[in-house]
mmCIF file of all heavy atoms in Angstrom:
data_model
loop_
_atom_site.group_PDB
_atom_site.id
_atom_site.type_symbol
_atom_site.label_atom_id
_atom_site.label_comp_id
_atom_site.label_asym_id
_atom_site.label_seq_id
_atom_site.Cartn_x
_atom_site.Cartn_y
_atom_site.Cartn_z
ATOM 1 N N GLY A 1445 -13.035 -17.819 16.362
ATOM 2 C CA GLY A 1445 -11.975 -17.374 17.263
ATOM 3 C C GLY A 1445 -10.729 -16.841 16.589
ATOM 4 O O GLY A 1445 -9.827 -16.357 17.274
ATOM 5 N N SER A 1527 -9.375 -19.660 0.643
ATOM 6 C CA SER A 1527 -9.865 -18.585 1.502
ATOM 7 C C SER A 1527 -10.897 -17.704 0.816
ATOM 8 O O SER A 1527 -10.886 -17.533 -0.408
ATOM 9 C CB SER A 1527 -8.694 -17.711 1.955
ATOM 10 O OG SER A 1527 -7.894 -18.434 2.864
ATOM 11 N N CYS A 1565 -25.792 -33.306 -4.638
ATOM 12 C CA CYS A 1565 -26.453 -32.003 -4.652
ATOM 13 C C CYS A 1565 -26.824 -31.627 -3.220
ATOM 14 O O CYS A 1565 -26.911 -32.478 -2.334
ATOM 15 C CB CYS A 1565 -27.692 -31.993 -5.546
ATOM 16 S SG CYS A 1565 -28.993 -33.132 -5.105
ATOM 17 N N THR A 1579 -47.757 -31.273 2.888
ATOM 18 C CA THR A 1579 -47.603 -30.138 1.972
ATOM 19 C C THR A 1579 -46.578 -30.469 0.884
ATOM 20 O O THR A 1579 -45.515 -31.023 1.177
ATOM 21 C CB THR A 1579 -47.122 -28.901 2.759
ATOM 22 O OG1 THR A 1579 -47.920 -28.775 3.927
ATOM 23 C CG2 THR A 1579 -47.225 -27.636 1.919
ATOM 24 N N GLY A 1634 -13.970 -46.845 -24.732
ATOM 25 C CA GLY A 1634 -13.593 -47.397 -26.036
ATOM 26 C C GLY A 1634 -12.764 -46.467 -26.903
ATOM 27 O O GLY A 1634 -12.811 -46.557 -28.121
ATOM 28 N N ASP A 1659 -38.053 -35.384 -7.519
ATOM 29 C CA ASP A 1659 -39.509 -35.598 -7.447
ATOM 30 C C ASP A 1659 -39.858 -36.871 -6.679
ATOM 31 O O ASP A 1659 -40.980 -37.010 -6.189
ATOM 32 C CB ASP A 1659 -40.108 -35.630 -8.860
ATOM 33 C CG ASP A 1659 -40.235 -34.230 -9.467
ATOM 34 O OD1 ASP A 1659 -40.262 -33.252 -8.688
ATOM 35 O OD2 ASP A 1659 -40.307 -34.109 -10.701
ATOM 36 N N ARG A 1671 -41.976 -25.476 -11.416
ATOM 37 C CA ARG A 1671 -40.558 -25.800 -11.528
ATOM 38 C C ARG A 1671 -39.848 -24.639 -12.215
ATOM 39 O O ARG A 1671 -40.243 -24.248 -13.316
ATOM 40 C CB ARG A 1671 -40.372 -27.095 -12.325
ATOM 41 C CG ARG A 1671 -39.036 -27.767 -12.100
ATOM 42 C CD ARG A 1671 -38.916 -29.057 -12.904
ATOM 43 N NE ARG A 1671 -39.703 -30.156 -12.370
ATOM 44 C CZ ARG A 1671 -40.540 -30.901 -13.113
ATOM 45 N NH1 ARG A 1671 -40.666 -30.667 -14.394
ATOM 46 N NH2 ARG A 1671 -41.229 -31.884 -12.549
ATOM 47 N N LEU A 1676 -25.851 -18.834 -12.502
ATOM 48 C CA LEU A 1676 -24.967 -17.669 -12.576
ATOM 49 C C LEU A 1676 -23.866 -17.971 -13.574
ATOM 50 O O LEU A 1676 -23.345 -19.087 -13.620
ATOM 51 C CB LEU A 1676 -24.404 -17.340 -11.205
ATOM 52 C CG LEU A 1676 -23.323 -18.243 -10.615
ATOM 53 C CD1 LEU A 1676 -21.911 -17.814 -11.006
ATOM 54 C CD2 LEU A 1676 -23.443 -18.264 -9.108
ATOM 55 N N ASP A 1692 -41.627 -27.821 -21.594
ATOM 56 C CA ASP A 1692 -42.675 -28.637 -20.959
ATOM 57 C C ASP A 1692 -42.334 -28.941 -19.508
ATOM 58 O O ASP A 1692 -43.189 -29.429 -18.773
ATOM 59 C CB ASP A 1692 -42.847 -29.944 -21.731
ATOM 60 C CG ASP A 1692 -41.553 -30.759 -21.783
ATOM 61 O OD1 ASP A 1692 -40.456 -30.145 -21.920
ATOM 62 O OD2 ASP A 1692 -41.622 -31.995 -21.652
ATOM 63 N N SER A 1695 -41.153 -23.366 -16.101
ATOM 64 C CA SER A 1695 -41.908 -22.179 -16.511
ATOM 65 C C SER A 1695 -41.220 -20.872 -16.122
ATOM 66 O O SER A 1695 -41.775 -19.802 -16.337
ATOM 67 C CB SER A 1695 -43.314 -22.219 -15.904
ATOM 68 O OG SER A 1695 -43.229 -22.270 -14.491
ATOM 69 N N GLY A 1698 -33.957 -17.780 -14.564
ATOM 70 C CA GLY A 1698 -33.188 -16.623 -14.116
ATOM 71 C C GLY A 1698 -31.763 -16.730 -14.630
ATOM 72 O O GLY A 1698 -31.103 -17.748 -14.416
ATOM 73 N N ASP A 1710 -21.960 -9.928 -30.477
ATOM 74 C CA ASP A 1710 -22.551 -9.691 -31.806
ATOM 75 C C ASP A 1710 -24.076 -9.662 -31.729
ATOM 76 O O ASP A 1710 -24.686 -10.274 -30.848
ATOM 77 C CB ASP A 1710 -22.137 -10.810 -32.767
ATOM 78 C CG ASP A 1710 -20.641 -10.820 -33.024
ATOM 79 O OD1 ASP A 1710 -19.965 -9.833 -32.635
ATOM 80 O OD2 ASP A 1710 -20.147 -11.826 -33.567
ATOM 81 N N LYS A 1721 -35.008 -21.010 -31.170
ATOM 82 C CA LYS A 1721 -35.859 -21.142 -29.984
ATOM 83 C C LYS A 1721 -36.496 -19.811 -29.547
ATOM 84 O O LYS A 1721 -37.487 -19.817 -28.818
ATOM 85 C CB LYS A 1721 -35.049 -21.728 -28.818
ATOM 86 C CG LYS A 1721 -34.693 -23.213 -28.981
ATOM 87 C CD LYS A 1721 -35.902 -24.098 -28.854
ATOM 88 C CE LYS A 1721 -35.572 -25.572 -28.653
ATOM 89 N NZ LYS A 1721 -34.624 -26.134 -29.617
ATOM 90 N N PRO A 1748 -20.871 -7.295 -20.115
ATOM 91 C CA PRO A 1748 -21.813 -6.240 -20.509
ATOM 92 C C PRO A 1748 -22.212 -6.365 -21.982
ATOM 93 O O PRO A 1748 -23.389 -6.241 -22.328
ATOM 94 C CB PRO A 1748 -21.015 -4.953 -20.242
ATOM 95 C CG PRO A 1748 -20.038 -5.324 -19.175
ATOM 96 C CD PRO A 1748 -19.641 -6.742 -19.490
ATOM 97 N N GLY A 1752 -25.869 -7.502 -23.082
ATOM 98 C CA GLY A 1752 -26.539 -6.447 -23.831
ATOM 99 C C GLY A 1752 -27.084 -6.946 -25.171
ATOM 100 O O GLY A 1752 -28.230 -6.663 -25.539
ATOM 101 N N PHE A 1754 -27.909 -9.967 -25.909
ATOM 102 C CA PHE A 1754 -29.031 -10.889 -25.646
ATOM 103 C C PHE A 1754 -30.306 -10.103 -25.340
ATOM 104 O O PHE A 1754 -31.391 -10.420 -25.856
ATOM 105 C CB PHE A 1754 -28.654 -11.820 -24.494
ATOM 106 C CG PHE A 1754 -29.655 -12.920 -24.269
ATOM 107 C CD1 PHE A 1754 -29.693 -14.029 -25.102
ATOM 108 C CD2 PHE A 1754 -30.560 -12.842 -23.212
ATOM 109 C CE1 PHE A 1754 -30.622 -15.053 -24.886
ATOM 110 C CE2 PHE A 1754 -31.487 -13.852 -22.996
ATOM 111 C CZ PHE A 1754 -31.522 -14.962 -23.831
ATOM 112 N N ILE A 1763 -40.052 -10.008 -26.352
ATOM 113 C CA ILE A 1763 -40.091 -10.970 -25.235
ATOM 114 C C ILE A 1763 -39.913 -10.201 -23.930
ATOM 115 O O ILE A 1763 -38.953 -9.454 -23.755
ATOM 116 C CB ILE A 1763 -38.996 -12.049 -25.404
ATOM 117 C CG1 ILE A 1763 -39.262 -12.842 -26.697
ATOM 118 C CG2 ILE A 1763 -38.951 -12.963 -24.187
ATOM 119 C CD1 ILE A 1763 -38.140 -13.781 -27.084
#
Side-chain angles (χ1 to χ4, degrees):
Chain A
S1527 290
C1565 60
T1579 313
D1659 283 338
R1671 200 179 286 130
L1676 74 89
D1692 59 322
S1695 59
D1710 295 349
K1721 289 290 195 309
F1754 188 77
I1763 298 171

